[in-house]
Amino acid sequence: MSTFEIAPDTAQRVAIVIEKNKAGTWSLGSYLVMADGRRHRHGLGTFKDYADAAASLEKAWERLSS
């Protein structure tokens, strides 16, 4: 492998998204995206409405960016 090649199992980015689940509530999910496009999902919480999920996402961002 040359110095410019990236192994397929190398983590490339993380996404944290708000998703509506089957129960009709809202969830925060994090996705670790690998170089080959595979994604690993981890649930971060379930909320009764979108506003609560969005507030939790903002708090997570504040913790990460400080």
Side-chain angles (χ1 to χ4, degrees), residues 20-27 46-48:
K20 191 165 189 176
N21 58 41
K22 292 178 184 177
T25 58
W26 295 89
S27 300
T46 303
F47 306 89
K48 65 178 181 171

Side-chain angles (χ1 to χ4, degrees), residues 2-61:
S2 77
T3 57
F4 295 104
E5 290 181 35
I6 298 173
D9 60 345
T10 302
Q12 292 293 299
R13 66 183 179 275
V14 170
I16 300 175
V17 298
I18 299 173
E19 305 169 315
K20 191 165 189 176
N21 58 41
K22 292 178 184 177
T25 58
W26 295 89
S27 300
L28 279 184
S30 65
Y31 291 88
L32 178 63
V33 182
M34 311 309 273
D36 63 2
R38 288 179 297 125
R39 299 181 305 166
H40 302 283
R41 185 185 185 284
H42 182 78
L44 301 175
T46 303
F47 306 89
K48 65 178 181 171
D49 57 34
Y50 185 89
D52 289 343
S56 181
L57 179 57
E58 288 179 9
K59 287 179 188 174
W61 174 252

